[in-house]
């Protein structure tokens, strides 16, 4: 557990340029506080000491604004940036080197028993306000855009944006490292509107051309009659 916590601390320095010192990170990063508390709570949860685990989780939520169910399985190198409003459900499974931003929900879609929360692969970035709901896999290296609502599996090394979430493959290339550029994602809705506007412009040009031909034809008939 302590080795994993060291990797969580290292992840803060790797992914947050605002981190200045170890003391600052230990004292002033609620995302780190939440994951450290979760490591302890999950230990008791695995020992079937559910009440103690939930009390630790509840206290952590009160101080950090981040709710992680003690049953959630979280890999090493986990980083929650800012963190306020993050919710992680009981049967969630998170791989290594995953980054979450504020307002992210990893939740279920009903009252069913068993596995009802998502499985997040390695090197995944989930941007601010995104909701991943249901028991499915988000593949390794995927990025989920801000505000997206994801309700179905996400292929590895892909990008999801929109409501409901739409998958956008980036050149079919695997990202070799953790990509935090979540503010520069493609927007398929905007692309569709741009395609529609181009089609409208083309049709308007065609109509204008036909009207000009009609006017020239009318002028020729009037001249002939005169």
């Amino acid at each position: 557990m302590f080795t994993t916590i060291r990797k969580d601390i290292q992840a803060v320095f790797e992914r947050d340029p605002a981190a200045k010192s170890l003391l600052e990170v230990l004292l002033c990063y609620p995302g780190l506080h939440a994951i450290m508390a979760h490591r302890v709570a999950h230990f008791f949860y695995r020992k079937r000491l559910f009440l103690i685990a939930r009390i630790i989780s509840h206290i952590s939520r009160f101080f950090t604004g981040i709710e992680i169910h003690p049953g959630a399985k979280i890999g090493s190198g986990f980083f929650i940036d800012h963190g306020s409003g993050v919710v992680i459900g009981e049967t969630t499974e998170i791989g290594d080197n995953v980054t979450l931003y504020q307002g992210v929900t990893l939740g279920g879609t009903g009252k069913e028993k068993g596995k009802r929360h998502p499985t997040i692969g390695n090197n995944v970035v989930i941007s601010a306000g995104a909701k991943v709901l249901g028991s499915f896999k988000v593949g390794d290296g995927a990025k989920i855009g801000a505000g997206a609502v994801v309700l179905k599996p996400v292929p590895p090394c892909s990008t999801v944006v929109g409501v409901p979430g739409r998958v956008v493959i980036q050149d079919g290339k695997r990202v070799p490292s953790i990509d935090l550029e979540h503010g520069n994602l493609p927007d398929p809705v905007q692309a569709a509107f741009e395609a529609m506007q181009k089609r409208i412009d083309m049709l308007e040009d065609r109509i204008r051309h036909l009207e000009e031909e009609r006017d020239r034809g009318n002028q020729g008939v009037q001249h002939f009659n005169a």
Side-chain angles (χ1 to χ4, degrees), residues 106 118-122 124-126 132 136-144 150 152-156 160:
L106 305 180
T119 297
I120 310 299
N122 301 323
V124 172
V125 176
I126 305 179
V132 185
F136 54 83
K137 176 73 179 289
V138 175
D140 295 349
K143 293 198 297 182
I144 297 176
V150 184
K152 58 185 180 180
V154 177
V160 175

Side-chain angles (χ1 to χ4, degrees), residues 65-103:
I66 298 169
E67 181 172 350
I68 308 176
H69 193 284
K73 299 177 182 179
I74 301 178
S76 62
F78 184 58
F79 177 48
I80 302 177
D81 197 3
H82 300 290
S84 179
V86 168
V87 177
I88 301 175
E90 178 185 15
T91 61
T92 302
E93 298 179 35
I94 299 176
D96 297 332
N97 302 317
V98 171
T99 302
L100 305 185
Y101 289 84
Q102 67 271 18

Side-chain angles (χ1 to χ4, degrees), residues 194-210:
E194 290 176 351
M196 290 174 59
Q197 187 61 50
K198 290 180 180 178
R199 179 65 175 172
I200 291 171
D201 292 341
M202 184 188 70
L203 292 173
E204 288 179 344
D205 289 340
R206 178 62 176 165
I207 292 171
R208 188 179 304 111
H209 178 70
L210 292 173

Side-chain angles (χ1 to χ4, degrees), residues 3-79:
T3 300
T4 303
I5 291 176
R6 278 199 299 270
K7 292 182 179 179
D8 295 333
I9 295 173
Q10 182 180 357
V12 176
F13 287 102
E14 290 176 349
R15 298 175 221 168
D16 187 0
K20 299 297 190 297
S21 68
L22 177 61
L23 185 61
E24 177 192 15
V25 169
L26 291 175
L27 296 178
C28 304
Y29 275 70
L32 179 62
H33 300 159
I35 187 59
M36 292 173 68
H38 172 74
R39 303 291 186 198
V40 177
H42 186 65
F43 170 81
F44 287 106
Y45 188 89
R46 288 190 291 108
K47 299 295 183 182
R48 304 189 64 82
L49 298 172
F50 300 126
L51 179 59
I52 296 176
R54 290 303 298 268
I55 289 174
I56 294 172
S57 174
H58 189 68
I59 293 173
S60 173
R61 176 191 178 189
F62 177 81
F63 283 104
T64 66
I66 298 169
E67 181 172 350
I68 308 176
H69 193 284
K73 299 177 182 179
I74 301 178
S76 62
F78 184 58
F79 177 48

Side-chain angles (χ1 to χ4, degrees), residues 157-177:
C157 302
S158 62
T159 299
V160 175
V161 297
V163 180
R166 301 171 181 84
V167 176
V168 180
I169 304 297
Q170 293 184 315
D171 301 327
K173 295 181 179 179
R174 183 177 181 86
V175 180
S177 60

